[in-house]
Amino acid sequence: MPSSRRSSRRPYSEEPRPLDLERATGGRRTETRRGEEWTVQSVRSSEKTYTCPGCHQPVPAGAPHVVAWASDSLFGREAALAERRHWHTRCWG
């Protein structure tokens, strides 16, 4: 049976907060580089060390960075996602 108690989260007279798309999508966005569309996602930390394809230096475990992959490939979206790479934020930007 539903509760008759009103929610205290947001009063009825208050406007709802606008949706924060970056937070809702985990920081995922689409960018165009050299005529190709890329999906880019910010990562706050990771459990593994990766090698940045931009500078060929390690992206240490726990370091904030970005993951990028082509939005589409000849073999489909799943293949494009499988080819994703971890970049230092400064190397991608």
Side-chain angles (χ1 to χ4, degrees), residues 42-55:
S42 298
V43 177
R44 291 194 172 117
S45 69
S46 65
E47 295 179 8
K48 290 175 56 178
T49 297
Y50 298 95
T51 301
C52 175
C55 67

Side-chain angles (χ1 to χ4, degrees), residues 69-81:
W69 63 94
S71 294
D72 202 7
S73 88
L74 182 62
F75 301 107
R77 287 184 177 266
E78 291 80 20
L81 181 60

Side-chain angles (χ1 to χ4, degrees), residues 23-35:
R23 184 173 173 217
T25 60
R28 192 174 292 179
R29 61 193 180 276
T30 302
E31 294 183 12
T32 303
R33 294 253 170 145
R34 298 183 186 144

Side-chain angles (χ1 to χ4, degrees), residues 3-77:
S3 171
S4 61
R5 185 175 72 106
R6 290 186 175 180
S7 172
S8 62
R9 292 184 184 192
R10 180 177 54 89
Y12 285 106
S13 61
E14 192 176 301
E15 288 292 318
R17 287 184 292 172
L19 178 63
D20 182 354
L21 284 177
E22 175 141 342
R23 184 173 173 217
T25 60
R28 192 174 292 179
R29 61 193 180 276
T30 302
E31 294 183 12
T32 303
R33 294 253 170 145
R34 298 183 186 144
E36 190 174 0
E37 248 186 46
W38 292 82
T39 302
V40 182
Q41 182 166 349
S42 298
V43 177
R44 291 194 172 117
S45 69
S46 65
E47 295 179 8
K48 290 175 56 178
T49 297
Y50 298 95
T51 301
C52 175
C55 67
H56 305 289
Q57 298 297 314
V59 177
H65 61 283
V66 297
V67 179
W69 63 94
S71 294
D72 202 7
S73 88
L74 182 62
F75 301 107
R77 287 184 177 266

